[in-house]
Amino acid sequence: MNRAEREAAVRQIMERVPSPVPPDVHTDAVRRGERLLRRRRLGRRALWLLACAAAVAFTVWAARVHPWVEPPSQTTPPITGW
């Protein structure tokens, strides 16, 4: 199929009368779209809540454990009896 034949086929398809669309398609599409937006919003809120909870948990853990402080060395025995 060369270019002229493809263009003719496309023109023929585009000149057809579009098929009628049922009247309830719009309401179904709006309902599905609203449901999709609600799900996305709920998912986004859940992820933000999870991220905030993880940040709070990390902050509490870091404040109690002090991971940036080097632990005392335990390779040398304590000096007693001097």
Side-chain angles (χ1 to χ4, degrees), residues 54-73:
V56 168
F58 175 77
T59 304
V60 169
W61 171 79
R64 293 186 54 115
V65 176
H66 298 289
W68 55 89
V69 176
E70 186 175 336
S73 176

Side-chain angles (χ1 to χ4, degrees), residues 32-77:
R32 288 181 184 164
E34 288 174 351
R35 187 177 347 146
L36 180 67
L37 289 176
R38 274 195 312 269
R39 286 182 182 172
R40 283 184 182 173
R41 191 179 318 131
L42 180 65
R44 206 174 299 127
R45 284 182 183 170
L47 286 176
W48 272 111
L49 181 65
L50 181 65
C52 289
V56 168
F58 175 77
T59 304
V60 169
W61 171 79
R64 293 186 54 115
V65 176
H66 298 289
W68 55 89
V69 176
E70 186 175 336
S73 176
Q74 297 188 6
T75 58
T76 333

Side-chain angles (χ1 to χ4, degrees), residues 3-57:
R3 183 178 176 142
E5 291 173 349
R6 283 186 293 188
E7 288 179 357
V10 169
R11 281 193 188 97
Q12 185 180 22
I13 290 171
M14 292 180 70
E15 288 174 354
R16 290 184 194 164
V17 176
S19 58
V21 178
D24 60 338
V25 169
H26 177 265
T27 56
D28 289 342
V30 169
R31 190 175 334 112
R32 288 181 184 164
E34 288 174 351
R35 187 177 347 146
L36 180 67
L37 289 176
R38 274 195 312 269
R39 286 182 182 172
R40 283 184 182 173
R41 191 179 318 131
L42 180 65
R44 206 174 299 127
R45 284 182 183 170
L47 286 176
W48 272 111
L49 181 65
L50 181 65
C52 289
V56 168

